[in-house]
Amino acid sequence: MTIAFLFPGQGSQSVGMMDAFSEVSVVKDTFEEASAILQQDMWQLAHAGSEEQLALTTNTQPLMLISDVAIYRAWIKLGGKLPSILAGHSLGEYAALVASGALNFIDAVQLVRQRSELMQNAVPSGVGAMAAVLGLSDENIILACQNATAEGGVAEPANYNAPGQVVIAGDKETVERAVEEAKKLGAKRAMLLAMSTPSHCSLIKPAADLFASVLDTVSIGSTEIPVVHNENVQESSTAQNIKERLYQQLFKPVRWVETIRHIVKKDIRIGCECGPGKVITGLNKRIDKEFQMISLASPEGMELAMSEFSGG
């Protein structure tokens, strides 16, 4: 039986997100390791952080990485089956690279903190925006963005999350125009999201250019388990290629629908959501209903998966 491990990113955080693992030593050890690196009590943030604290990009990104890796380590320590392929949604790709053996956890934590700071500072507060559009084809999403930017501004597809579920990003005024254009084209819903950082669009490219020099300081090895990248829906074989994908990922859209279909084409029919929440599980049900998803967001979920994979 071959399985995929899929790591969630920003948007899957919640208050008390890791409480189910309070008694799992490898999880607490992972948080302590990361807290020492960041000089911040990340377990306290996960356990008792407010919604406002968790919403800060500079908190969210490291916290999700740590949580994803901690849950993966708990799975491995339990003797869980190794995945055949890995992928992560946006930020989750860093956890996938750690699980693949290509990226050291300490380096990943430091990279993600710097990534989050550069992204948060890339666009002044109140200038950028993201919006979710539901019930519209990808082609009409692109058309809505083109119509909105006809007189200037930035509005671009940022996350192809599921069929009929796309997020757009850009400057606030133009994104608002794109929302209205999407409604004219028949969108069931189109609304601004509570995010001021316009991720995965050209406004973030200056931050990506700065991040490229940070990536050059980090040692990346080859992957022991293949990782499907968001940006080009391919698997990398060299360190330089992985760095290029992480650079491009910042200002290019997340091609999640294609990522899951790429995995399914390899005759993999089971995916484990390795991180807090069930956002990826929800998305994947809309991408391929026959692709079975199992959440590892609790020890009980891990036990269920163990039983599933052992035929029990």
Side-chain angles (χ1 to χ4, degrees):
M1 181 186 295
T2 53
I3 57 174
F5 264 50
L6 308 169
F7 297 88
Q10 200 162 345
S12 290
Q13 72 277 3
S14 63
V15 176
M17 56 197 272
M18 293 295 289
D19 286 358
F21 292 95
S22 294
E23 304 302 319
V24 181
S25 60
V26 68
V27 169
K28 296 294 289 290
D29 290 346
T30 301
F31 269 82
E32 287 179 12
E33 184 182 357
S35 297
I37 298 164
L38 298 174
Q39 297 186 324
Q40 180 181 0
D41 190 338
M42 300 305 291
W43 180 258
Q44 177 64 17
L45 185 63
H47 177 65
S50 66
E51 287 186 10
E52 292 75 18
Q53 287 175 308
L54 294 180
L56 284 173
T57 296
T58 50
N59 282 335
T60 311
Q61 292 195 19
L63 188 58
M64 282 304 303
L65 167 70
I66 298 160
S67 300
D68 288 359
V69 171
I71 290 174
Y72 184 75
R73 286 178 171 179
W75 171 259
I76 296 301
K77 189 166 184 179
L78 280 172
K81 182 179 176 63
L82 281 174
S84 301
I85 198 165
L86 307 162
H89 189 283
S90 185
L91 167 72
E93 196 165 297
Y94 286 80
L97 287 167
V98 172
S100 79
L103 184 58
N104 180 280
F105 177 59
I106 293 174
D107 288 337
V109 170
Q110 293 172 327
L111 274 176
V112 165
R113 172 53 65 84
Q114 289 174 286
R115 177 185 190 268
S116 66
E117 290 173 348
L118 287 168
M119 289 179 69
Q120 188 160 285
N121 296 331
V123 181
S125 179
V127 172
M130 299 187 80
V133 181
L134 306 180
L136 207 60
S137 69
D138 292 352
E139 292 76 16
N140 277 335
I141 291 284
I142 293 169
L143 180 58
C145 290
Q146 289 173 340
N147 292 342
T149 58
E151 299 176 4
V154 174
E156 301 165 1
N159 298 68
Y160 292 101
N161 285 330
Q165 185 172 334
V166 178
V167 174
I168 60 177
D171 67 84
K172 190 170 187 288
E173 183 178 338
T174 310
V175 168
E176 287 174 340
R177 287 203 302 270
V179 163
E180 294 309 310
E181 291 291 337
K183 290 176 181 177
K184 291 177 188 176
L185 290 167
K188 291 180 181 177
R189 290 186 70 192
M191 60 281 185
L192 290 178
L193 299 174
M195 296 178 71
S196 61
T197 302
S199 303
H200 304 295
C201 78
S202 56
L203 292 181
I204 298 295
K205 191 171 185 303
D209 291 341
L210 293 172
F211 189 58
S213 62
V214 178
L215 285 167
D216 284 339
T217 67
V218 175
S219 175
I220 294 180
S222 58
T223 55
E224 296 169 8
I225 303 171
V227 175
V228 185
H229 297 288
N230 289 172
E231 180 261 326
N232 64 353
V233 198
Q234 294 180 19
E235 298 145 36
S236 296
S237 58
T238 67
Q240 193 54 46
N241 196 280
I242 291 171
K243 289 180 180 181
E244 182 65 19
R245 303 286 69 77
L246 294 178
Y247 161 71
Q248 296 278 347
Q249 184 210 60
L250 275 174
F251 59 94
K252 295 288 183 67
V254 174
R255 296 161 62 183
W256 190 250
V257 175
E258 292 174 84
T259 297
I260 297 305
R261 288 176 177 165
H262 175 90
I263 290 170
V264 169
K265 282 180 182 177
K266 293 179 177 291
D267 291 326
I268 296 174
R269 293 291 182 266
I270 298 177
C272 289
E273 182 164 5
C274 189
K278 296 183 179 180
V279 170
I280 286 178
T281 297
L283 295 178
N284 290 359
K285 284 179 180 177
R286 300 187 61 179
I287 297 169
D288 190 326
K289 291 180 180 178
E290 294 183 5
F291 186 67
Q292 181 186 350
M293 286 296 300
I294 299 173
S295 170
L296 303 182
S298 68
E300 292 75 22
M302 287 191 179
E303 289 175 11
L304 176 64
M306 291 277 187
S307 174
E308 181 86 17
F309 299 147
S310 66

